[in-house]
Amino acid sequence: MDLKTASALRRLRLVSAPEAVSFLVLLLCSVLKRTTDFNGVPVMGAVHGVLFVLYVVFWADAWNRTRWSFGTAALYFVLSVLPTGGFFAERKLRRESENAVIAARARQEGTVNA
């Protein structure tokens, strides 16, 4: 895995958890708006909107660089629209990047030892 691909995965991983948290807080604000006088929806809506747009941009970049299958790319996109999906995406992306680093090191050691 080259540096740009690793960076694309890292960016997507780093924005996935905050995007999930903002979605959950937005849902909470929506409930509070209807049950109390508190209205945090405009602020949290904007925050979540920015994080979601970042997620989609980083997702498209990662898909382009990693050459994921359509199914894998669709899975990461669907996880972005589920309330807790970003947490699962972050975990899966961390595993994927760790496996890619291990594979790259193994290839590098194989060429050094050869």
Side-chain angles (χ1 to χ4, degrees):
M1 176 184 301
D2 66 348
L3 187 59
K4 289 184 179 184
T5 303
S7 295
L9 285 175
R10 185 170 190 269
R11 281 191 303 268
L12 180 60
R13 186 174 69 87
L14 290 177
V15 79
S16 63
E19 190 272 336
V21 169
S22 72
F23 194 3
L24 292 174
V25 173
L26 178 60
L27 291 174
L28 177 65
C29 286
S30 183
V31 169
L32 290 174
K33 176 183 176 182
R34 284 158 180 75
T35 58
T36 67
D37 291 335
F38 179 76
N39 185 10
V41 172
V43 173
M44 278 314 300
V47 169
H48 175 66
V50 168
L51 289 171
F52 181 74
V53 167
L54 283 173
Y55 184 96
V56 171
V57 168
F58 294 158
W59 166 80
D61 184 40
W63 185 11
N64 181 44
R65 292 186 185 283
T66 60
R67 305 286 186 225
W68 285 327
S69 67
F70 179 78
T72 301
L75 172 68
Y76 284 122
F77 186 79
V78 167
L79 287 174
S80 75
V81 296
L82 298 175
T84 58
F87 299 119
F88 295 106
E90 192 276 334
R91 187 177 307 151
K92 222 171 145 35
L93 286 163
R94 184 175 354 119
R95 243 184 267 129
E96 184 176 334
S97 62
E98 288 170 354
N99 290 340
V101 168
I102 290 169
R105 285 182 182 162
R107 281 193 304 271
Q108 188 179 27
E109 288 177 7
T111 58
V112 171
N113 292 336

